[in-house]
Amino acid sequence: MFRLAVKSVKHNPKRLVLTAVAVALGVALASATFTLTNALSGGFHQLFDEIYAGTDVIVEPAPTETEDDGDQFAAPDAVFTHADLAAVQAVDGVENAVGTIQVMGSVLPKDFEPTGDLMAAGGAPSQLFNWAGDPKLDQATLVEGSGPEADGQIVLDLDGAPRLGYEIGDMVSIATDTGVTELELVGLVRFGETNSLQGATLGYMTEADAATLAGSEDYQTISVVTADGVDKDQVASAISEVIPEGTRAITGEAKAAEQAEQLDDILQYVDIFAIAFALIALFVGSYIIVNTFRIIVTQRTREFGLLRAIGVSGRQLRTMILLEALVIAVVASTVGILLGYLGALGLSALVEALSGNIFGTVTLPWDALLWGYSLGALVTLVAALMPAIHASTISPMEALRESATESKKPLRMRNIVGGALTLLGVLAIVVGLYMDVAKPYVFVGAGAMVLVIGVTLLAAQVLVPLAYGLKAFLTRVFRVDGKLAANNIRREPRRSANTAAALMIGVMLLALVSTFTESLKSVVTDQFATSEADFFVLSTQGAIPPGAIDLLGSEDGVDFVTSTGVDQATYDGLGYSVASIDPATADLAYDYPNDPDFDGMDGGVFIDPVIQELGVEVGDQVALEGAEGSATLTVTGLYEREGDANFWVDEATGAELFGDYDILQAMVVLDDGVDPAAAEEQLTSALAEDFPLVVLSSPDQLAQFANQFIDLLLGVISAMLGAALIIAVLGVANTLLLSVTERTREIGLLRAVGVRRRSVRRMIRIESLVMAIFGTILGMILGVGLGVALVKALAEFGFTSVAIPWAWLGIYMVLAIIAGVVAAMSPARRAAKLDILQAIAFDG
Amino acid sequence: MTTTVTLAASMRGGTKDYGTGDAAVRALDGIDVDIAAAEFTAIMGPSGSGKSTLLHTLAGLDCLTAGDSWIGEQQISSLSEDKITQVRRDKIGFVFQAFNLIPSLSAKENITLPLDISGRDVDPAWFDEIIGILGLADRLTHLPAELSGGQQQRVAVARALVARPELIFADEPSGNLDSRSGAELLGFMRRAVKEFGQTIAMVTHDPSAASYSDRVLFLADGRIVDEMREPTADRVLDRMKQMGH
């Protein structure tokens, strides 16, 4: 049976090529992502290993329960005093211990001009430390010049210095909270063995300079080198005895493993994201496989009848077809995995050329193989199942029949099932979006899938009257070519519907995402439009220095500056975000969704919907505990939007809880009658001296910036959906190719009675276009519908308006038409090239 | 025989080879043929004699290796593919042995297909007359699958006639029919020649089918070996026997 299956695939490989390509593309997507995340993980493992290579034990603040995993490069608060360092040095088995001061700052490019542009000032972060002079502890080796032996000197890593335009002897500008400091570049260092810093800049200065820039003589971590032959774990636990509460001692190896593990957790989400898109692509591909196998089974009805006549059982026949599917799946998955691997190689080479090496060795990981083969085989087999079952019911008598067309089963059953599935899908989506259920996304996801299948089934019924309706139109415009095309679509409504549905899914997702992002854009634009602020103040790295706020507030023409700080506090045993604002001015700058206005805060606290759902009401007392202190506050108002911050307090309370909290955003309101353009210039130059990393943005600019970001998001998702769309277009081509083969005699006859090649080509093209446009329109209706439902369901997150992405829909339609023409190219050429005599004599 | 006979189609020195080198087969061997207008010509010969090739090359479905052929005054052996298609469309009708009809079109749409293709209008009187003679009036809206074999072939004949082509080529038109339906069909074709002056050239290996024609050409090994006027089934059969059929 297996031999028969292989022979059958070998005998007529052409008709299976596109099927295999569809599977391969989906598998390639998964394989490429696995390869890339694996390489990325490898790169970071190597980085972490190098960071902690020379350090036997690290003494650091213990990770808190509510870990803020925002900025990986941010410096932790300094907690170790010089006395702590001395205590660690005195522990048995410690050979050397050095305190590390990390400076929160940024090395500016040599000819840095503050432009107010968010992108220009950003870029890769800087990592600045004090120089220990011990290569094992510094994790860096001096390769040129000298170390920072005297105050006022600095060394940079050998890639960072040229990137920023510095040479030895230059003065290096470093921007920190308090201003810009210049240090002389005296040497270059290499980080670890290969200086793989993932794009960051590394710099070292004297401990005195570091302490000045960091604003504290305390250390954030203490790095320990143990004596030879001592058990590091024992030393670590001995150190634990002498260090302050809330800190810990951990071996370098354990620390590297811990960090790598955290990163792998993040990369796992990337993998899941990619698998989701690969599944979408393969789901689309499964439509092609169903079509291909159905057509093949029809074409081989006589062959199967013959096999049945000579004693092959229906079950064996079914097994044979499934084996054929498996053969294709294995071949296609192999091709797909290799394609994905090559794609990943290409992409990593591209990234390396553009922004330096962030990948480790690019190898094909075993999970790429596992996922590739299992996804490919699963999808192919499931898709081939229905046609295989159909084949197993072929009676031996079919061998003797003349006709080779699919028996005309009525569509009733298909309609009933389709209708039921559509309803079920809509129901699940509605439940998921509007009912208060656990894991709503499961309902929405499963509902969307069921809905798609249901609509696919129903589409066959829609196509029949549609083709009737179109027939008159197509006949008028394209005469007989159009009439024949309309007839062909109607003749095999199942096949045409499945083909259109493949495209429908891709377009649906595109329309869904673009409806969502377009609505998001309109919400963002509205939000900024309602702001009274003339400028938003932002920092391109870290928090906004309080000095910058004071500076802006003291400038001429500025009415007031109001700032928002966000930090974490514990309430009822769990961590929540707390925003600190100035109640007197906040509402004057921005239209917050609060009730009443913040000036009614009166030293109390406002709570957002999350806290409201816990049963907290106005008038209740809440106890918050921050890093620096705790406060029991009366709830004096509500904040009606989810996702901004859970608690809103005034600045005094913020200081009580957190001390110097991080200011994330500030707004500047100018005096009446001051020209914003002139003010921007004045304020920017005022900031340039001491706070080059603080930029001003008008609400318009910021809205534009946010919209660009949203567009980027749409772009990334569209690109990920590209594979699914390519497969869908292949599906149209595949169906047409098989249908041309099936209609060889018919086309030959048309040619014999005088239809020109050009007309034959046009006929196929019209068929292709009708299927493509039909699928696209269905996809748009579904996608926009789902998108609107999603946006409405997210109303409490501030989605106040729904925007239909008309421009995108127009673009998708144009693309659909192009896709229709492209998909028709090869089938049309083949149909037009058919030799008339062979076509007439073709043994159908 | 007078010299004023109009020719509907002709061929001079028609040669057709299939394959190349050792595998080459000569299907037509320098053949000269004239198909007179308003006549029913039958082409007969044993299997492999080249009769189908002759029909295909005359009709421009296939091209000659050497020699020339004409449809009316139009030499087609030198025309481009597109031009030949146009000649077929405007001047020639076809009736094949089987699979004559487009499955997705109704009987009526199949009949008017050649006119639709060339964008000409259907002459309703002529259409009705043909339909009447062929007895298809109540079958016009049916799809080919809903018609009997004989009806399908009659629709094919109607399609060939409706555009009033200069010449109809028929390839074993009654080959798949039972003898009664076959006789009926051939009777219609003969009437078309007699009553409307239609020219028909038909390939057949059935002597009784040939007996409906005005003139029979006998082919063997790619050459015309004999011709017979006013044939009867018996005379044709005798002649075929001599050829060793």
Side-chain angles (χ1 to χ4, degrees):
Chain A
M1 204 39 60
F2 183 69
R3 221 178 41 181
L4 195 56
V6 173
K7 281 210 163 151
S8 170
V9 173
K10 269 179 150 174
H11 178 65
N12 207 340
K14 263 197 207 157
R15 63 187 173 196
L16 296 170
V17 164
L18 286 176
T19 315
V21 170
V23 175
L25 272 180
V27 169
L29 192 62
S31 155
T33 316
F34 275 112
T35 308
L36 281 179
T37 50
N38 184 276
L40 205 56
S41 163
F44 274 97
H45 276 252
Q46 193 187 343
L47 174 72
F48 294 137
D49 284 347
E50 281 181 12
I51 289 178
Y52 301 108
T55 315
D56 295 320
V57 176
I58 293 164
V59 187
E60 59 171 16
T64 50
E65 294 297 312
T66 56
E67 178 130 18
D68 182 10
D69 46 32
D71 191 353
Q72 286 224 344
F73 295 94
D77 290 336
V79 288
F80 300 104
T81 59
H82 288 253
D84 291 327
L85 178 61
V88 171
Q89 279 165 338
V91 170
D92 265 357
V94 173
E95 186 181 285
N96 187 13
V98 175
T100 306
I101 300 173
Q102 184 176 357
V103 176
M104 187 62 188
S106 192
V107 180
L108 299 176
K110 187 172 182 184
D111 31 4
F112 177 74
E113 291 284 341
T115 55
D117 183 350
L118 282 171
M119 300 306 280
S126 303
Q127 301 255 282
L128 301 169
F129 301 97
N130 56 323
W131 180 250
D134 180 341
K136 276 172 103 178
L137 291 174
D138 284 327
Q139 304 144 12
T141 322
L142 197 64
V143 292
E144 205 182 324
S146 58
E149 280 142 17
D151 289 348
Q153 294 181 340
I154 188 169
V155 292
L156 292 177
D157 75 272
L158 53 94
D159 291 324
R163 183 171 57 235
L164 297 169
Y166 291 113
E167 288 172 18
I168 290 182
D170 286 347
M171 294 307 283
V172 176
S173 303
I174 295 166
T176 60
D177 274 11
T178 48
V180 178
T181 309
E182 292 204 328
L183 299 172
E184 189 193 353
L185 183 64
V186 294
L188 298 178
V189 295
R190 188 188 66 228
F191 172 72
E193 295 301 315
T194 53
N195 203 48
S196 51
L197 285 162
Q198 323 296 334
T201 304
L202 181 67
Y204 295 93
M205 59 196 83
T206 60
E207 187 175 327
D209 279 342
T212 310
L213 289 180
S216 163
E217 293 199 341
D218 291 347
Y219 305 113
Q220 283 116 4
T221 58
I222 297 172
S223 302
V224 176
V225 176
T226 55
D228 285 344
V230 181
D231 182 3
K232 293 170 193 167
D233 290 317
Q234 268 177 12
V235 176
S237 52
I239 293 173
S240 299
E241 303 293 319
V242 303
I243 54 179
E245 201 185 328
T247 62
R248 63 170 185 173
I250 181 173
T251 62
E253 281 165 32
K255 179 67 183 173
E258 193 181 283
Q259 293 221 352
E261 200 180 313
Q262 279 172 12
L263 181 85
D264 285 348
D265 282 349
I266 297 169
L267 289 177
Q268 208 184 344
Y269 284 105
V270 177
D271 282 346
I272 291 172
F273 185 69
I275 290 173
F277 278 97
L279 272 177
I280 291 169
L282 286 169
F283 184 59
V284 171
S286 71
Y287 278 81
I288 303 185
I289 302 169
V290 170
N291 256 1
T292 307
F293 275 86
R294 178 175 286 158
I295 295 168
I296 288 172
V297 166
T298 308
Q299 281 175 350
R300 288 164 66 192
T301 299
R302 288 174 84 165
E303 181 189 333
F304 291 149
L306 182 65
L307 286 173
R308 297 277 285 118
I310 61 171
V312 175
S313 74
R315 180 198 297 263
Q316 281 174 309
L317 216 50
R318 195 174 61 216
T319 312
M320 190 185 86
I321 293 170
L322 289 179
L323 278 173
E324 280 189 40
L326 193 63
V327 171
I328 298 165
V330 169
V331 172
S333 302
T334 309
V335 172
I337 290 167
L338 289 176
L339 263 182
Y341 177 59
L342 288 178
L345 276 182
L347 205 63
S348 69
L350 189 70
V351 170
E352 193 172 339
L354 290 179
S355 63
N357 186 14
I358 62 165
F359 294 105
T361 329
V362 181
T363 51
L364 193 58
W366 63 269
D367 42 359
L369 290 177
L370 185 76
W371 277 98
Y373 279 114
S374 45
L375 283 179
L378 183 80
V379 167
T380 315
L381 285 180
V382 167
L385 194 62
M386 281 300 284
I389 290 173
H390 172 66
S392 68
T393 61
I394 289 174
S395 83
M397 280 305 295
E398 304 272 358
L400 310 171
R401 295 228 179 108
E402 276 285 323
S403 89
T405 48
E406 208 169 346
S407 56
K408 291 274 177 287
K409 270 192 300 183
L411 292 168
R412 225 188 69 183
M413 198 56 209
R414 188 178 165 121
N415 288 339
I416 293 171
V417 175
L421 287 179
T422 306
L423 277 179
L424 195 69
V426 170
L427 201 69
I429 292 168
V430 168
V431 167
L433 287 183
Y434 297 105
M435 307 290 196
D436 204 6
V437 289
K439 301 196 174 168
Y441 46 89
V442 173
F443 281 87
V444 176
M449 203 141 165
V450 172
L451 174 68
V452 162
I453 297 174
V455 170
T456 307
L457 295 175
L458 284 181
Q461 185 62 59
V462 180
L463 263 176
V464 176
L466 181 80
Y468 266 117
L470 275 179
K471 189 172 164 182
F473 168 75
L474 290 175
T475 309
R476 181 140 7 105
V477 180
F478 301 107
R479 295 228 295 267
V480 74
D481 310 345
K483 185 202 280 186
L484 289 168
N487 274 340
N488 288 331
I489 288 165
R490 198 186 60 196
R491 186 157 43 160
E492 297 285 354
R494 286 183 175 77
R495 191 190 295 170
S496 309
N498 288 357
T499 310
L503 201 56
M504 172 186 89
I505 298 167
V507 174
M508 177 188 91
L509 292 168
L510 278 181
L512 170 64
V513 173
S514 57
T515 302
F516 181 77
T517 53
E518 207 66 20
S519 300
L520 188 59
K521 272 161 82 172
S522 82
V523 168
V524 166
T525 310
D526 281 355
Q527 276 199 19
F528 285 115
T530 57
S531 169
E532 292 295 316
D534 293 288
F535 301 111
F536 282 76
V537 185
L538 298 164
S539 168
T540 54
Q541 199 174 338
I544 304 170
I549 308 277
D550 296 342
L551 176 76
L552 287 171
S554 65
E555 284 289 314
D556 285 346
V558 173
D559 186 359
F560 64 89
V561 181
T562 183
S563 63
T564 309
V566 175
D567 227 312
Q568 292 270 328
T570 310
Y571 167 69
D572 209 12
L574 290 169
Y576 290 100
S577 57
V578 179
S580 309
I581 45 100
D582 174 16
T585 52
D587 278 307
L588 300 175
Y590 182 75
D591 183 17
Y592 285 100
N594 48 4
D595 175 34
D597 279 352
F598 282 135
D599 54 12
M601 188 177 277
D602 199 20
V605 62
F606 278 37
I607 54 173
D608 86 334
V610 173
I611 306 299
Q612 293 168 31
E613 274 171 35
L614 296 177
V616 182
E617 289 174 7
V618 173
D620 290 355
Q621 300 273 318
V622 294
L624 297 179
E625 193 177 333
E628 296 286 318
S630 53
T632 302
L633 304 162
T634 310
V635 177
T636 47
L638 304 176
Y639 187 86
E640 296 291 9
R641 187 163 63 214
E642 212 171 307
D644 290 348
N646 301 116
F647 293 99
W648 294 76
V649 300
D650 58 28
E651 288 170 327
T653 315
E656 205 176 312
L657 290 170
F658 310 112
D660 286 337
Y661 53 80
D662 287 346
I663 297 170
L664 291 187
Q665 184 196 296
M667 289 174 279
V668 176
V669 176
L670 299 172
D671 287 331
D672 285 344
V674 174
D675 175 28
E680 181 173 6
E681 205 168 306
Q682 173 205 341
L683 297 180
T684 304
S685 64
L687 286 170
E689 177 73 13
D690 287 334
F691 307 104
L693 297 179
V694 176
V695 292
L696 295 178
S697 263
S698 68
D700 281 352
Q701 280 174 326
L702 217 52
Q704 214 178 350
F705 181 70
N707 286 345
Q708 276 171 10
F709 179 75
I710 295 167
D711 280 339
L712 186 70
L713 185 76
L714 177 64
V716 169
I717 295 179
S718 302
M720 293 294 276
L721 285 173
L725 288 168
I726 291 172
I727 291 175
V729 173
L730 281 180
V732 176
N734 186 50
T735 304
L736 286 171
L737 268 181
L738 291 166
S739 139
V740 164
T741 315
E742 203 174 74
R743 293 185 345 227
T744 300
R745 295 186 76 158
E746 190 180 322
I747 292 164
L749 182 67
L750 284 172
R751 296 272 294 115
V753 300
V755 173
R756 291 184 207 197
R757 290 184 198 279
R758 207 183 314 145
S759 289
V760 171
R761 271 200 293 270
R762 194 162 69 168
M763 176 179 84
I764 306 286
R765 205 176 300 133
I766 295 170
E767 282 179 50
S768 174
L769 278 173
V770 170
M771 282 195 281
I773 293 173
F774 179 66
T776 303
I777 291 176
L778 271 187
M780 285 179 183
I781 293 172
L782 282 179
V784 171
L786 286 175
V788 169
L790 183 66
V791 170
K792 294 257 186 219
L794 292 176
E796 62 182 300
F797 288 94
F799 279 86
T800 45
S801 59
V802 175
I804 311 281
W806 294 113
W808 283 112
L809 295 185
I811 291 170
Y812 298 153
M813 186 51 81
V814 171
L815 288 178
I817 291 168
I818 294 172
V821 172
V822 170
M825 269 184 344
S826 161
R829 196 176 322 125
R830 183 184 291 190
K833 265 195 179 161
L834 280 178
D835 185 79
I836 305 175
L837 288 177
Q838 271 182 15
I840 300 171
F842 184 82
D843 185 78
Chain B
M1 285 286 281
T2 60
T3 51
T4 57
V5 171
T6 340
L7 294 182
S10 53
M11 184 180 286
R12 288 291 172 269
T15 304
K16 178 71 186 175
D17 295 332
Y18 288 112
T20 49
D22 288 345
V25 175
R26 177 149 293 190
L28 295 181
D29 192 7
I31 206 166
D32 294 340
V33 186
D34 290 316
I35 306 290
E39 256 192 14
F40 193 167
T41 306
I43 301 165
M44 292 204 71
S47 297
S49 61
K51 56 185 191 300
S52 285
T53 308
L54 176 59
L55 186 87
H56 291 153
T57 48
L58 270 175
L61 290 172
D62 202 355
C63 51
L64 287 170
T65 312
D68 296 303
S69 65
W70 289 261
I71 295 290
E73 299 289 305
Q74 174 81 59
Q75 184 182 3
I76 63 164
S77 37
S78 59
L79 290 183
S80 71
E81 164 67 36
D82 242 21
K83 284 274 193 292
I84 292 178
T85 305
Q86 205 166 345
V87 169
R88 275 206 308 274
R89 193 172 78 188
D90 298 339
K91 299 189 173 174
I92 301 177
F94 284 96
V95 181
F96 298 106
Q97 179 174 0
F99 205 82
N100 259 305
L101 309 177
I102 303 295
S104 61
L105 296 179
S106 70
K108 182 176 181 188
E109 286 171 329
N110 262 294
I111 294 170
T112 57
L113 183 62
L115 294 175
D116 287 343
I117 293 167
S118 50
R120 283 181 282 165
D121 289 329
V122 178
D123 174 352
W126 176 231
F127 180 84
D128 290 342
E129 189 166 0
I130 297 169
I131 297 309
I133 292 171
L134 290 167
L136 289 169
D138 56 347
R139 288 279 176 271
L140 289 178
T141 58
H142 292 233
L143 291 176
E146 299 159 344
L147 300 174
S148 72
Q151 285 165 344
Q152 286 185 24
Q153 289 303 81
R154 266 148 50 201
V155 171
V157 171
R159 182 190 63 204
L161 285 170
V162 77
R164 298 183 205 262
E166 290 187 15
L167 178 57
I168 292 175
F169 286 105
D171 191 351
E172 305 273 14
S174 58
N176 268 12
L177 302 181
D178 60 76
S179 56
R180 220 195 87 208
S181 309
E184 236 173 42
L185 186 78
L186 290 162
F188 287 132
M189 291 170 68
R190 185 167 175 78
R191 271 180 77 183
V193 174
K194 293 300 153 211
E195 293 177 23
F196 313 128
Q198 180 64 54
T199 311
I200 298 180
M202 170 179 77
V203 163
T204 183
H205 64 266
D206 175 9
S208 59
S211 69
Y212 286 84
S213 69
D214 297 317
R215 171 185 178 225
V216 182
L217 299 174
F218 293 96
L219 242 71
D221 300 324
R223 295 161 187 277
I224 303 241
V225 290
D226 198 1
E227 100 168 57
M228 182 187 291
R229 293 215 144 258
E230 306 304 326
T232 64
D234 290 340
R235 282 175 59 209
V236 173
L237 191 58
D238 287 343
R239 182 67 189 84
M240 291 294 284
K241 278 179 183 158
Q242 285 172 28
M243 291 169 68
H245 183 58

